[in-house]
């Protein structure tokens, strides 16, 4: 669990570092021009949208495998995998999460 929080902090530091370097190094000397204020306003609208989307990605529950999802659903030529921890058939690209204790 601590590794996941560390990854989130690293990504946020990278985003804020790029943001601060762009705003303070590129636009702070030109701040009193009208076009710079408009550009910074539009840039900050996109930046706030980026932060809101990142927060929503972190906080959204990924869901779980439906109870009626079975071995014979979908293409029957593919090999299906079974999770011994959850006792369910796993869809493609699904792995068991030790933090959530589900697939």
């Amino acid at each position: 669990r601590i590794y996941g929080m560390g990854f989130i902090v690293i990504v946020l530091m990278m985003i804020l570092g790029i943001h601060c370097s762009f705003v303070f190094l590129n636009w702070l000397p030109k701040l009193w021009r009208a076009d710079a204020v408009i550009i910074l306003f539009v840039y900050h609208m996109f930046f706030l949208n980026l932060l809101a989307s990142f927060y929503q990605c972190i906080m959204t529950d990924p869901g779980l495998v439906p109870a009626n999802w079975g071995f014979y659903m979908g293409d029957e030529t593919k090999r299906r995998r079974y999770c011994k921890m959850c006792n369910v058939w796993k869809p493609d690209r699904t792995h068991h999460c030790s933090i959530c204790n589900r697939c």
Side-chain angles (χ1 to χ4, degrees), residues 5-76:
M5 293 301 289
F7 179 74
I8 292 170
V9 168
I10 289 171
V11 170
L12 276 175
M13 289 298 118
M14 288 173 51
I15 290 172
L16 291 176
I18 293 170
H19 168 72
C20 290
S21 65
F22 177 75
V23 170
F24 293 129
L25 296 179
N26 289 339
W27 291 103
L28 192 61
K30 308 171 194 173
L31 185 61
W32 303 113
R33 295 182 1 205
D35 61 340
V37 172
I38 293 170
I39 289 172
L40 278 176
F41 178 76
V42 172
Y43 169 75
H44 277 93
M45 297 314 271
F46 283 115
F47 182 71
L48 290 176
N49 191 16
L50 169 78
L51 290 179
S53 299
F54 185 66
Y55 176 78
Q56 189 173 6
C57 287
I58 292 171
M59 300 309 286
T60 301
D61 185 25
L64 52 101
V65 178
N68 60 354
W69 197 92
F71 181 76
Y72 296 108
M73 293 186 71
D75 186 15
E76 295 167 5

